[in-house]
Amino acid sequence: MRPRAPFVLVAVLGAIGLSAAPAFGERLVASLSNHRVMVTSNFVGEELVLFGGVEQDQTSRPRRSGYDIVVTVTGPRQSMVTFRKARVLGIWVNADSREFENAPAYLAVLSNRPLDSIANTEMLRRLQLGLDNIPLPQRASVKIADAASDDPFRLAFIKIKTDQGLYREVSNGVTFLAPALFRASIPLPAEVPVGTYEVDVRLFADGAQIARAPSPFEVYKSGFEQVVTNAAREHGFLYGLVTSMMAVLTGWFASVVFRRD
């Protein structure tokens, strides 16, 4: 057993060295103004406010270019289809399509300045920051793969989502109130889907990521809206049958009320 003593000594010294190794002295703290957003029949959208700060300790060193913040808000994932129309015999028809697998239903990228000024292209791609670097796997035939950033279906999908207010990239979406204190506004349109939203806050300095903090929130329906949503999701056939009967009865009642004798 004695020959193993040097190996034990090396392991102990290595553990001590790792514990004494310097680490980044900054710690990122972030919180939302509201962690639960209720959707009702008169919901017209809401704006959440993200507050955060950078905590420093004795090991913190001065940053020559200050701090940068990148906030990525990702909504529930869904499978969606994008169609490409073509003119056939004078009629516009769906000529081709792509199905996007598990694409974010909502996506917002907020930063205090342009992303290419915060980090280089390779790091932005590796960290998947920005609309151009977010993976959007497509299903073409039986294969699923992420297309290039200039793929026409990908560009069309992002444009549609942007026009709906569900995708956005804002280079001045984060404001520093003090050198180590910041805020950001997260707009939620009226069409925002329900589900859990992940808020990923990243702290950069001198072109490198040095800290990261999550701050999720939930969008949910309550009351009669939630009952209708659950019925449509869990009992689709009965829900369709009831709504069809209601439409028929409404039409019949209207014909009786407004009948001309």
Side-chain angles (χ1 to χ4, degrees), residues 181-210:
L181 182 65
F182 63 90
R183 73 182 297 275
S185 297
I186 303 174
L188 301 176
E191 298 79 11
V192 66
V194 298
T196 301
Y197 287 66
E198 301 294 334
V199 181
D200 186 17
V201 187
R202 298 173 185 260
L203 175 65
F204 288 81
D206 301 331
Q209 177 181 308
I210 60 175

Side-chain angles (χ1 to χ4, degrees), residues 162-223:
T162 301
D163 294 341
Q164 294 173 345
L166 296 175
Y167 276 27
R168 65 183 69 232
E169 182 175 325
V170 186
S171 59
N172 60 349
V174 178
T175 303
F176 274 91
L177 308 176
L181 182 65
F182 63 90
R183 73 182 297 275
S185 297
I186 303 174
L188 301 176
E191 298 79 11
V192 66
V194 298
T196 301
Y197 287 66
E198 301 294 334
V199 181
D200 186 17
V201 187
R202 298 173 185 260
L203 175 65
F204 288 81
D206 301 331
Q209 177 181 308
I210 60 175
R212 184 178 180 183
S215 186
F217 66 91
E218 180 187 7
V219 177
Y220 69 101
K221 292 182 178 180
S222 64

Side-chain angles (χ1 to χ4, degrees), residues 138-144:
Q138 301 180 25
R139 177 183 293 275
S141 183
V142 296
K143 297 182 179 179
I144 300 177

Side-chain angles (χ1 to χ4, degrees), residues 85-99:
K85 292 184 177 295
R87 196 178 183 88
V88 179
L89 300 177
I91 302 175
W92 288 98
V93 297
N94 295 327
D96 198 2
S97 66
R98 289 291 187 278
E99 181 180 358

